[in-house]
Amino acid sequence: MKRRRLVGLAIAMALLLCQGCDDSKDIQNMAYVTGVGIDYVDGKYIAYVQVLNFANVAKTENMELGKEVPVWIGIGEGETVTGALTDMNTTSQLRMFWGHLKVVFLSENLLKKGVTDIYNGLNRYREIRYNLFVYGTKENMMDMLQVQSLFNMSPLESIAYSGAQVNTQRSFILPEIGNRFIAGLNEPGNPTPLPSVSISRKKWSEDDTKKPLFELTGAYFFEKDKMKNWMSAEDLIGIQWSQENLDRTMIRLPKKEAAIAVLMLYHPQFHVRPVILGDRPVFDLTVNIDGELTELLENRPLQEIVQMGNAAIREEIQFTFEKGLEKECDPFKLSQALYRVDPKLFYKLKETRGFFLNKESIRNINVKLNMTGTGKYKGRI
């Protein structure tokens, strides 16, 4: 019995000596990083870190909509990415928490240098998650990290941070998750494009004051991990028919004449079939897509509208492909499709010709539009 008491006393003394959670930090005493911008100037990395006070962001019953959310931005520079972030951290008055990082903006200077080191430096840290949105930009990083959303809501409610597909004619430029982007860079053929985002300063106003908001403007294309070229959203209009993650997109018919109808189209299914003719590859493209009639401006048979839709989709695909040829970009990943079927021929063409696609590379574009409804009316009122 005496021995048991001694053991119990020893355990009690040991528990009293334990520090417990003495070194833990109160959540209100940490700086939460939500966005990062990285530039490369004169041989040095410049890191911009955005910090939000979550007390101003949290959605509560007492939340005052329209009240401006303050944004804090820290700047550091160094010869490496980690060095730049450490330089910024030396003047932070609170512990930086990186678990809520949502988005990374990369400058064109950095894209031209190469992006692998950036992801290696950022994603190695244990608090940072894999599912970051990554964008390229031509804008000033300070300006990018100060952009808010409608009603002065925090940047977390903007399209760049949320990755939301808005129902616009540019909704086909989908956000790119960081780990998928890096995985795509390692694939043979022209790798995954990186969406570009800029600041629209003229389209929205609060009373008489212009308000800057994010706008998706196109995509960067890469050779290995370095930027090769950029294509605008207007030039990439046909890429929407190859993106199976696309929720919905709108198309006006016909494309160039007076409008007859407007369709809302959903979740395209896109397939590339390489065909080898001797030592020359050609490609057959197939698009299957569902859609609904959302506006009818002139009475026409439904079958005629379907045919017009098929022709418009085919035209947009051909247009984007030819725009890509001008800049030696492969927006439909035809090179990658060839690699899957005949890697030996792929490497031979890359070695002898470099960019081997030409105007005859697409042999057929087959489009099948399936109309699932016409709304509450069958014809024009």
Side-chain angles (χ1 to χ4, degrees), residues 166-179:
V166 201
N167 183 19
T168 71
Q169 291 185 350
R170 293 189 177 184
S171 62
F172 60 86
I173 302 178
L174 304 183
E176 193 63 56
I177 301 295
N179 60 336

Side-chain angles (χ1 to χ4, degrees), residues 28-192:
Q28 69 269 21
N29 293 332
M30 289 193 289
Y32 293 90
V33 178
T34 52
V36 169
I38 303 179
D39 199 355
Y40 188 76
V41 181
D42 297 331
K44 288 189 175 182
Y45 293 96
I46 314 294
Y48 300 79
V49 176
Q50 178 194 73
V51 174
L52 295 180
N53 182 349
F54 276 16
N56 298 322
V57 176
K59 297 177 180 177
T60 65
E61 292 182 0
N62 299 323
M63 180 183 178
E64 187 178 341
L65 193 63
K67 182 180 179 181
E68 194 160 341
V69 177
V71 177
W72 287 74
I73 300 174
I75 306 175
E77 67 174 54
E79 295 181 357
T80 65
V81 179
T82 305
L85 294 173
T86 302
D87 181 51
M88 174 276 308
N89 207 26
T90 56
T91 53
S92 172
Q93 309 302 300
L94 301 174
R95 180 188 179 277
M96 309 284 288
F97 181 73
W98 294 79
H100 289 291
L101 179 61
K102 295 285 187 182
V103 65
V104 177
F105 300 111
L106 306 177
S107 72
E108 275 199 356
N109 286 340
L110 186 59
L111 297 180
K112 292 173 183 176
K113 181 186 182 298
V115 298
T116 304
D117 290 343
I118 302 302
Y119 197 76
N120 182 50
L122 279 176
N123 208 49
R124 189 173 292 272
Y125 187 50
R126 64 182 179 275
E127 286 183 356
I128 295 178
R129 303 179 183 184
Y130 290 100
N131 58 343
L132 307 174
F133 292 119
V134 183
Y135 301 92
T137 185
K138 303 177 183 182
E139 299 278 354
N140 178 277
M141 287 299 175
M142 285 291 290
D143 294 342
M144 291 293 291
L145 294 176
Q146 289 173 347
V147 174
Q148 300 189 359
S149 189
L150 289 180
F151 311 120
N152 291 321
M153 297 175 75
S154 80
L156 300 180
E157 306 299 328
S158 66
I159 57 173
Y161 285 69
S162 65
Q165 294 182 35
V166 201
N167 183 19
T168 71
Q169 291 185 350
R170 293 189 177 184
S171 62
F172 60 86
I173 302 178
L174 304 183
E176 193 63 56
I177 301 295
N179 60 336
R180 294 178 186 170
F181 171 62
I182 294 298
L185 288 181
N186 294 324
E187 290 287 333
N190 281 25
T192 304

Side-chain angles (χ1 to χ4, degrees), residues 194-206:
L194 180 69
S196 67
V197 64
S198 66
I199 302 172
S200 173
R201 296 176 171 85
K202 298 180 179 179
K203 296 183 180 178
W204 284 86
S205 302
E206 182 183 8

